[in-house]
Amino acid sequence: MGWTDRFSIAGKTALVTGASSGIGAEISSVFTEAGATVIATGQSEARLAALRDQTGCRIIAADISTVEGCDGLVQAAHAMAPRIDILVNSAGVALVGPVLDYSAEDWDRTMAINLRAPFLLAKGLAPAMIAAKAGKIINISSQTGVIALPDHAAYAASKGGLNALTKSLMTELAPHNIQVNAICPTVVLTEMGKQIWSPPEKSGPMLAATPLGRFGEPVEIADMALYLASPASDLVNGALLMIEGGYSSV
């Protein structure tokens, strides 16, 4: 197998959550360009339709904040493709704020989307991967699941849980030749990232603590996801891949 084949996902089918915008949309675009059949899912039908028109991907509108929404998405995805080769859990919310002012409702929503949904989708799609003796599950986590940031208690807890889930899933699925990994980016300049981190008083200290001195772009996360989706990464399993300009190394 030549290097182009090792890095190829041509002929594979990928389900990408959170594809209405940001990192999920970028991953859907990159995966489609790399030859995969992409089923892009999110809540905004209008944005998904625009992504379909731009990339040729298939789309499913779904609300994965509920158990029923996750179960329905699994059923709809299987109706489109008997087996999903690659699952990318990219959907996420960042409802930030001080612990003393944080509501139980925001905590529950954060956990439902950032942690419970990846669990339910992996559970729903894994049986077909096991039967095929091959599969890739890629969780889009955060450096905040590894290091501490103020005002991020719920978000950090959800991403720390996602990192632990990644490793636990790996131990159960590795014997079936399924790789499960997580990408832990720094701030990524999506719409959500810009909204939270644009104020200089907030971004300044973060950038000063980052040796590379900048935040990430969505395509940089998509490119790492492409590597993890390809045969080139078959030995990478249970990894938490830090893409954060060196922040956690100093």
Side-chain angles (χ1 to χ4, degrees):
M1 183 185 291
W3 73 267
T4 54
D5 293 323
R6 293 196 301 274
F7 284 86
S8 173
I9 56 172
K12 302 295 185 182
T13 299
L15 176 66
V16 181
T17 71
S20 298
S21 62
I23 294 172
E26 191 68 32
I27 291 173
S28 298
S29 178
V30 168
F31 277 22
T32 301
E33 186 178 353
T37 297
V38 173
I39 302 173
T41 182
Q43 287 191 268
S44 172
E45 291 191 46
R47 289 192 173 197
L48 289 174
L51 181 67
R52 178 189 58 202
D53 294 343
Q54 178 185 354
T55 67
C57 69
R58 303 176 184 182
I59 60 173
I60 300 173
D63 177 6
I64 60 171
S65 67
T66 68
V67 173
E68 295 77 16
C70 290
D71 291 344
L73 175 57
V74 169
Q75 293 173 12
H78 277 149
M80 283 189 177
R83 184 181 84 247
I84 305 299
D85 303 291
I86 305 157
L87 167 63
V88 182
N89 286 307
S90 182
V93 293
L95 306 175
V96 299
V99 168
L100 297 183
D101 298 328
Y102 209 79
S103 70
E105 291 76 16
D106 282 351
W107 175 276
D108 289 345
R109 180 167 176 78
T110 298
M111 296 302 160
I113 296 173
N114 293 4
L115 183 55
R116 185 177 67 192
F119 162 71
L120 292 173
L121 296 178
K123 178 183 176 183
L125 297 176
M129 293 182 180
I130 291 171
K133 298 182 179 179
K136 304 274 190 174
I137 298 175
I138 303 163
N139 294 321
I140 306 302
S141 183
S142 170
Q143 70 170 2
T144 318
V146 178
I147 55 92
L149 284 178
D151 298 337
H152 281 67
Y155 185 76
S158 70
K159 295 301 187 177
L162 184 60
N163 291 344
L165 175 64
T166 297
K167 291 179 176 291
S168 292
L169 284 174
M170 179 275 294
T171 63
E172 295 190 35
L173 298 179
H176 304 285
N177 191 35
I178 298 168
Q179 291 82 52
V180 188
N181 294 289
I183 299 174
C184 302
T186 181
V187 174
V188 180
L189 296 176
T190 62
E191 290 180 18
M192 183 171 68
K194 290 176 181 177
Q195 180 180 358
I196 296 173
W197 290 93
S198 288
E201 63 273 15
K202 187 171 183 66
S203 62
M206 186 76 168
L207 291 171
T210 303
L212 200 58
R214 69 173 179 87
F215 294 142
E217 296 292 342
V219 70
E220 294 177 298
I221 314 309
D223 286 347
M224 179 57 78
L226 177 60
Y227 165 67
L228 290 176
S230 76
S233 66
D234 281 354
L235 192 60
V236 181
N237 213 6
L240 308 179
L241 295 165
M242 306 295 289
I243 308 182
E244 33 71 289
Y247 184 98
S248 63
S249 296
V250 295

